[in-house]
mmCIF file of all heavy atoms in Angstrom:
data_model
loop_
_atom_site.group_PDB
_atom_site.id
_atom_site.type_symbol
_atom_site.label_atom_id
_atom_site.label_comp_id
_atom_site.label_asym_id
_atom_site.label_seq_id
_atom_site.Cartn_x
_atom_site.Cartn_y
_atom_site.Cartn_z
ATOM 1 N N ARG F 229 80.531 120.517 82.860
ATOM 2 C CA ARG F 229 80.511 119.071 82.623
ATOM 3 C C ARG F 229 79.237 118.478 83.187
ATOM 4 O O ARG F 229 78.737 118.908 84.232
ATOM 5 C CB ARG F 229 81.699 118.397 83.320
ATOM 6 C CG ARG F 229 83.049 118.715 82.686
ATOM 7 C CD ARG F 229 83.263 118.009 81.349
ATOM 8 N NE ARG F 229 83.553 116.595 81.487
ATOM 9 C CZ ARG F 229 84.767 116.114 81.725
ATOM 10 N NH1 ARG F 229 85.797 116.927 81.834
ATOM 11 N NH2 ARG F 229 84.964 114.820 81.846
ATOM 12 N N VAL F 230 78.732 117.478 82.491
ATOM 13 C CA VAL F 230 77.572 116.732 82.980
ATOM 14 C C VAL F 230 78.042 115.783 84.078
ATOM 15 O O VAL F 230 79.097 115.163 83.965
ATOM 16 C CB VAL F 230 76.941 115.928 81.823
ATOM 17 C CG1 VAL F 230 75.921 114.924 82.351
ATOM 18 C CG2 VAL F 230 76.311 116.874 80.813
ATOM 19 N N ALA F 232 76.752 112.466 86.045
ATOM 20 C CA ALA F 232 75.726 111.412 86.158
ATOM 21 C C ALA F 232 75.981 110.671 87.465
ATOM 22 O O ALA F 232 75.707 111.189 88.541
ATOM 23 C CB ALA F 232 75.787 110.500 84.948
ATOM 24 N N GLY F 233 76.588 109.482 87.392
ATOM 25 C CA GLY F 233 76.907 108.769 88.630
ATOM 26 C C GLY F 233 78.161 109.314 89.294
ATOM 27 O O GLY F 233 78.427 109.069 90.465
ATOM 28 N N GLY F 234 78.955 110.010 88.519
ATOM 29 C CA GLY F 234 80.145 110.646 89.079
ATOM 30 C C GLY F 234 81.328 109.722 89.281
ATOM 31 O O GLY F 234 82.343 110.134 89.829
ATOM 32 N N HIS F 235 81.237 108.478 88.815
ATOM 33 C CA HIS F 235 82.318 107.554 89.158
ATOM 34 C C HIS F 235 83.459 107.510 88.153
ATOM 35 O O HIS F 235 84.403 106.742 88.305
ATOM 36 C CB HIS F 235 81.766 106.166 89.477
ATOM 37 C CG HIS F 235 81.448 106.077 90.941
ATOM 38 N ND1 HIS F 235 80.673 107.016 91.577
ATOM 39 C CD2 HIS F 235 81.848 105.207 91.902
ATOM 40 C CE1 HIS F 235 80.588 106.706 92.863
ATOM 41 N NE2 HIS F 235 81.291 105.630 93.084
ATOM 42 N N SER F 236 83.370 108.352 87.151
ATOM 43 C CA SER F 236 84.561 108.641 86.359
ATOM 44 C C SER F 236 84.940 110.107 86.563
ATOM 45 O O SER F 236 86.112 110.439 86.711
ATOM 46 C CB SER F 236 84.313 108.383 84.871
ATOM 47 O OG SER F 236 84.190 106.996 84.657
ATOM 48 N N LEU F 237 83.925 110.951 86.590
ATOM 49 C CA LEU F 237 84.197 112.388 86.670
ATOM 50 C C LEU F 237 84.784 112.784 88.031
ATOM 51 O O LEU F 237 85.787 113.500 88.088
ATOM 52 C CB LEU F 237 82.901 113.171 86.389
ATOM 53 C CG LEU F 237 83.052 114.679 86.320
ATOM 54 C CD1 LEU F 237 84.095 115.092 85.288
ATOM 55 C CD2 LEU F 237 81.711 115.357 86.025
ATOM 56 N N THR F 310 76.767 104.753 85.930
ATOM 57 C CA THR F 310 75.658 104.542 84.999
ATOM 58 C C THR F 310 76.185 104.090 83.648
ATOM 59 O O THR F 310 77.323 104.393 83.269
ATOM 60 C CB THR F 310 74.862 105.845 84.795
ATOM 61 O OG1 THR F 310 75.694 106.798 84.111
ATOM 62 C CG2 THR F 310 74.419 106.439 86.128
ATOM 63 N N ASP F 323 84.091 98.286 80.251
ATOM 64 C CA ASP F 323 83.398 97.059 79.849
ATOM 65 C C ASP F 323 82.229 97.303 78.912
ATOM 66 O O ASP F 323 82.026 96.567 77.949
ATOM 67 C CB ASP F 323 82.888 96.335 81.096
ATOM 68 C CG ASP F 323 84.032 95.860 81.960
ATOM 69 O OD1 ASP F 323 84.764 94.976 81.510
ATOM 70 O OD2 ASP F 323 84.215 96.397 83.076
HETATM 71 C C1 FAD C 1277 87.160 102.189 91.481
HETATM 72 C C2 FAD C 1277 86.545 102.194 90.133
HETATM 73 C C3 FAD C 1277 86.650 101.058 89.367
HETATM 74 C C4 FAD C 1277 86.067 101.027 88.110
HETATM 75 N N1 FAD C 1277 86.174 99.883 87.391
HETATM 76 C C5 FAD C 1277 85.574 99.819 86.183
HETATM 77 C C6 FAD C 1277 85.593 98.627 85.417
HETATM 78 O O1 FAD C 1277 86.097 97.591 85.840
HETATM 79 N N2 FAD C 1277 85.021 98.646 84.205
HETATM 80 C C7 FAD C 1277 84.392 99.759 83.712
HETATM 81 O O2 FAD C 1277 83.880 99.705 82.631
HETATM 82 N N3 FAD C 1277 84.334 100.884 84.417
HETATM 83 C C8 FAD C 1277 84.909 100.950 85.647
HETATM 84 N N4 FAD C 1277 84.823 102.117 86.351
HETATM 85 C C9 FAD C 1277 84.155 103.289 85.769
HETATM 86 C C10 FAD C 1277 82.683 103.264 86.128
HETATM 87 O O3 FAD C 1277 82.027 102.277 85.406
HETATM 88 C C11 FAD C 1277 82.010 104.619 85.910
HETATM 89 O O4 FAD C 1277 80.873 104.596 86.653
HETATM 90 C C12 FAD C 1277 81.549 104.961 84.530
HETATM 91 O O5 FAD C 1277 82.618 104.913 83.668
HETATM 92 C C13 FAD C 1277 81.002 106.378 84.485
HETATM 93 O O6 FAD C 1277 79.642 106.436 84.770
HETATM 94 P P1 FAD C 1277 79.083 107.596 85.678
HETATM 95 O O7 FAD C 1277 77.622 107.576 85.619
HETATM 96 O O8 FAD C 1277 79.663 107.468 87.000
HETATM 97 O O9 FAD C 1277 79.600 108.877 84.889
HETATM 98 P P2 FAD C 1277 80.172 110.261 85.363
HETATM 99 O O10 FAD C 1277 81.412 110.093 86.104
HETATM 100 O O11 FAD C 1277 79.115 111.041 86.025
HETATM 101 O O12 FAD C 1277 80.474 110.897 83.961
HETATM 102 C C14 FAD C 1277 81.482 110.404 83.127
HETATM 103 C C15 FAD C 1277 81.629 111.300 81.900
HETATM 104 O O13 FAD C 1277 80.522 111.191 81.036
HETATM 105 C C16 FAD C 1277 79.798 112.406 80.932
HETATM 106 N N5 FAD C 1277 78.385 112.019 81.008
HETATM 107 C C17 FAD C 1277 77.841 111.201 81.928
HETATM 108 N N6 FAD C 1277 76.550 110.956 81.643
HETATM 109 C C18 FAD C 1277 76.276 111.633 80.525
HETATM 110 C C19 FAD C 1277 75.117 111.767 79.732
HETATM 111 N N7 FAD C 1277 74.000 111.100 80.051
HETATM 112 N N8 FAD C 1277 75.165 112.538 78.650
HETATM 113 C C20 FAD C 1277 76.296 113.185 78.314
HETATM 114 N N9 FAD C 1277 77.433 113.095 79.017
HETATM 115 C C21 FAD C 1277 77.429 112.324 80.120
HETATM 116 C C22 FAD C 1277 80.292 113.248 82.062
HETATM 117 O O14 FAD C 1277 80.244 114.580 81.748
HETATM 118 C C23 FAD C 1277 81.706 112.771 82.225
HETATM 119 O O15 FAD C 1277 82.523 113.376 81.306
HETATM 120 C C24 FAD C 1277 85.392 102.165 87.607
HETATM 121 C C25 FAD C 1277 85.295 103.310 88.389
HETATM 122 C C26 FAD C 1277 85.853 103.330 89.643
HETATM 123 C C27 FAD C 1277 85.731 104.554 90.460
#
Side-chain angles (χ1 to χ4, degrees):
Chain F
R229 290 287 285 276
V230 168
H235 271 51
S236 290
L237 185 56
T310 67
D323 295 293

